[in-house]
Amino acid sequence: MLVKGSFWSKLISRFWVKSVVVPQNPVTELKLDLSRPIIYVLEQNSASDLLALQKACIKQALPDPYQPLQLHGITLPAVIYLHDWYFFKKKPLKQQQSAYLAQYQHLLSLHQQDTELDVQLVPVTFFWGRNPGKSNPRKAFLGHHNVSSLQKAWSILTAGSDHLIRFNVPISVQSLVEKNKHSKHLAHKLARVALHYFSTQNRSSRGPQIPNRKAMIKRVIASPMMQQTIQQESLQSGRSELQVTQQCHAYLEEISSNFSYRFLRFFRSILSKVWNGIYQGIEVNHAQAVRDATQSGAEIIYMPCHRSHMDYLLLSYLLFGEGLVPPHVAAGVNLNFFPAGGIFRRSGAFFLRRSFKDDPLYGKAFKAYFAMLFKQGYPIEFFTEGGRSRTGRLLPAKTGLLAMSVQTFLDQPERNVMIVPVYIGYDHIMEVSTYMKELSGQKKQQESAWQVLGVVKKLRNFGRAFVNFGKPINLKQYLDQQQPNWRHQALTEQQFATQVNHLANNVMQGINQATAVNALPLCAAILLASTNHQLGKHRMLALLQLHQQLLANTSQDSRITYPTQSVELIYQQALAMNKFSESNYVVSCDQKQSAHLTYYRNTIVHVFALPSLVSYGLIKLNNQNNKISCATLTELVGSLLGFIDAEYFLAPSTETLKQRVTRVLLQLQQNSFVRVDDDVITLSDLSFIQTLSRHLSETRLRYHCVLSLLFADFDQSDETLLAASKKRLLGSSIEPFDAKVINVFIQQLDRKTLQPKQVEELLACLSMK
């Protein structure tokens, strides 16, 4: 019988307990069908749990757990619990098992009698505080367990404000019956499934015990990897092993985190006020995929894009709020200054230098620490670009930490490791003005407390922030596909480097496949694609609507999200950021604003890369009769698409190029911009096609600049080519010059095999003549 709860327990539940529900919208994210019966599965029959569940269900418009179900004239409780409440002594295990097994058996019998019936069993887990405790070799993992009423009361009093309710993916009883028609122990199987949920959820929400910093450093130094390093360094340098050990200890003091759950909770309460003060909301998408991965027992490596110092704090803050374990974050040693260094360190950050080349011993100490974190099962986060993007687009990946991760996995291949690409976006990035100055030649300022105070003074309405989780990459499955024999034969250095680079590229593609297209970048892309960077408001709204339609088609095959509100609301959200202006229904931006807007456009322009390239081809190939061959268009697109793929990390497609081009043409045809008859394209309306084409105008300008310089002097070095490109582009492009972007194109040209004839052909493709 369900515990109803006393007057005092109801009072405490109402005024003392503050619950966070995960996922935030269980009905949508877990695909609960409210037309079918729902029975909640709980670990324990507890008044505090049930009252908290009831409050959450009312808020989420879910069935009341205290309201019994009526099925075929039979009354069934809406809750099944595995353990009954008790004060001092637990009921015998067999007695408790017989109770819930009888409920399961009754439920299964009803489904066997009625094949149309399909009850959803929804496991629900409650966490009164999620502190896993400090690491202690004398204690086993503190799993979630069946506690007495007195212990539960103490948990509520001490952690009532840190309460998490986690709903799980529903179990279809009818599906279970159909899959196990001949099983005699189906009720026992159902019970095992529920127990598995509770066991894995505790691990994924609390995580392993927090490492004691001093003990962790001692453990790293005592590891075989570090001991071998100390002995080798001692022989090579002539120093004693004690001196080398002391040096390694000093390095590890500089590197290691000092994670504190209590500090994290305290700091999170401060961050909540900060986020609420500067952001109108933080939108999170696809977090359920990460929860599913952690529930499968996977160890998670988060690899986000990096555009702002806010990234360090935002992801850890959100993961904790989403019921996941906050990761240990790799941060640049430039952030280890007072007071930020201590805050980051106690929030889980560990620090690394920009380069290990000048101090190999430091590099080996860092690798040993990183490997120890990885082997202990702590979630890890690092920014694969190595630094913040100064242009808005993804930077070429730095593979150092990823290589360490893969090598550590290869040392223990039985582990289940998942890499999660993460897209982080903002309506406003406070550092953009600084980025523009740095790209124009100003020296980068060293991070300091004074710089932090300067930023604090500028805090204001920054619009919204967006975090989208990409599709997790199972490292074991990835290696099975790419290097099938890896389990039985060690990878050579070349194979290892190839796989790491390929994996890094997959991660970057995964990040862009999870792009959060928001109001300002969308309006920025349209405005910068307009003549003289101005257009009428009515025209802006019409183009926003057309881009929305393109995004609706694109998002079907990816995790891309985009605003679905009215175009007027989208426009007003972007206008409120004060990055462009409107006067007498004319939308425009000045020269300084246009340079800033390129940053925001670049965060999403890859989403429109293929439609933009197709549109450019249509305009280039257009003749007096407005007739274009599909085959000729596909050939032109194919000549340039490889370079676009490399620069913008476009995900590979299972479709042929012809099919991809045809799909874009069909989208344009739906809006009456073109008509496609057999293999002939007829242009109907050039205005939108021209706007779409201009999304990549800066990209084509860069390509044309490099190729024309190369055509004039084919034998010049890459360094000379880069310098000449910078000189020419500074006067002709609104986008600040970034050598990294030019280098990507030069590398793709593969100058070892490149011929002058190929350069001439590419120039012809990029010329409108």
Side-chain angles (χ1 to χ4, degrees), residues 283-303:
E283 186 178 306
V284 184
N285 293 290
H286 314 306
Q288 185 57 39
V290 186
R291 282 192 286 269
D292 291 343
T294 58
Q295 190 153 321
S296 71
E299 297 163 11
I300 306 295
I301 299 174
Y302 297 98
M303 294 180 64

Side-chain angles (χ1 to χ4, degrees), residues 605-606 608-610 613 637 639-650 696 699-700 702-703 744-745 748 766:
V605 71
H606 55 273
F608 302 107
L610 182 59
L613 194 55
V637 170
S639 299
L640 299 174
L641 187 58
F643 302 107
I644 302 295
D645 280 345
E647 179 174 339
Y648 291 104
F649 297 103
L650 303 186
L696 289 182
T699 303
R700 295 196 304 273
R702 286 195 304 276
Y703 294 174
V744 170
F745 180 60
Q748 286 300 308
L766 291 163

Side-chain angles (χ1 to χ4, degrees), residues 550 608-622 628 630 632-634 636-638 640-641 644 657-668 674 676 681 683 686 689-690 692-694 696 700:
L550 276 177
F608 302 107
L610 182 59
S612 179
L613 194 55
V614 170
S615 298
Y616 164 74
L618 290 171
I619 295 170
K620 176 177 171 59
L621 298 173
N622 188 28
I628 301 165
C630 283
T632 306
L633 176 63
T634 302
L636 175 62
V637 170
L640 299 174
L641 187 58
I644 302 295
L657 179 58
K658 182 179 179 181
Q659 289 172 325
R660 295 170 71 187
V661 171
T662 301
R663 186 194 285 195
V664 174
L665 291 172
L666 289 175
Q667 292 175 28
L668 295 175
V674 301
V676 183
I681 308 160
L683 300 186
L686 270 175
I689 293 174
Q690 286 173 334
L692 204 54
S693 168
R694 290 176 189 146
L696 289 182
R700 295 196 304 273

Side-chain angles (χ1 to χ4, degrees), residues 562-626:
Y562 66 97
T564 56
Q565 310 100 311
S566 69
V567 290
E568 175 68 34
L569 182 57
I570 295 170
Y571 170 73
Q572 291 301 333
Q573 286 175 350
L575 186 63
M577 293 293 100
N578 298 317
K579 307 296 181 186
F580 58 88
S581 58
E582 179 196 331
S583 178
N584 296 323
Y585 298 101
V586 175
V587 185
S588 63
C589 63
D590 59 34
Q591 186 175 1
K592 182 179 178 181
Q593 287 175 323
S594 65
H596 286 212
L597 286 174
T598 61
Y599 187 97
Y600 295 97
R601 176 202 61 192
N602 288 344
T603 63
I604 67 160
V605 71
H606 55 273
V607 176
F608 302 107
L610 182 59
S612 179
L613 194 55
V614 170
S615 298
Y616 164 74
L618 290 171
I619 295 170
K620 176 177 171 59
L621 298 173
N622 188 28
N623 54 34
Q624 293 181 347
N625 299 321
N626 289 344

Side-chain angles (χ1 to χ4, degrees), residues 376-513:
Q376 295 292 324
Y378 300 109
I380 293 173
E381 173 192 340
F382 56 84
F383 300 97
T384 186
E385 297 165 279
R388 292 168 294 160
S389 171
R390 265 61 177 175
T391 61
R393 59 172 59 80
L394 284 183
L395 302 173
K398 303 285 187 182
T399 58
L401 290 179
L402 182 59
M404 288 185 207
S405 302
V406 175
Q407 185 58 63
T408 308
F409 168 76
L410 290 173
D411 292 339
Q412 291 183 305
E414 70 280 359
R415 305 178 81 90
N416 181 17
V417 177
M418 294 272 198
I419 296 174
V420 180
V422 186
Y423 179 93
I424 303 177
Y426 305 88
D427 275 337
H428 171 85
I429 295 174
M430 65 181 74
E431 299 103 323
V432 167
S433 295
T434 305
Y435 296 160
M436 297 298 114
K437 292 174 184 176
E438 289 175 10
L439 289 171
S440 65
Q442 190 177 103
K443 188 178 179 181
K444 180 182 180 294
Q445 291 184 353
Q446 185 67 29
E447 286 79 0
S448 66
W450 299 112
Q451 196 178 50
V452 172
L453 289 173
V455 169
V456 170
K457 290 178 182 178
K458 297 177 184 178
L459 293 181
R460 55 182 177 83
N461 173 25
F462 288 167
R464 292 176 300 159
F466 305 84
V467 177
N468 283 2
F469 293 95
K471 184 179 180 181
I473 301 170
N474 186 304
L475 196 47
K476 199 174 292 185
Q477 292 176 3
Y478 169 83
L479 288 171
D480 284 340
Q481 293 170 359
Q482 298 295 321
Q483 202 78 32
N485 204 34
W486 69 274
R487 297 170 192 266
H488 311 292
Q489 186 175 348
L491 301 184
T492 65
E493 279 190 30
Q494 183 60 47
Q495 288 174 331
F496 181 80
T498 299
Q499 292 310 321
V500 168
N501 289 331
H502 188 266
L503 178 59
N505 199 59
N506 277 17
V507 172
M508 305 306 274
Q509 291 170 351
I511 292 171
N512 273 350
Q513 280 288 91

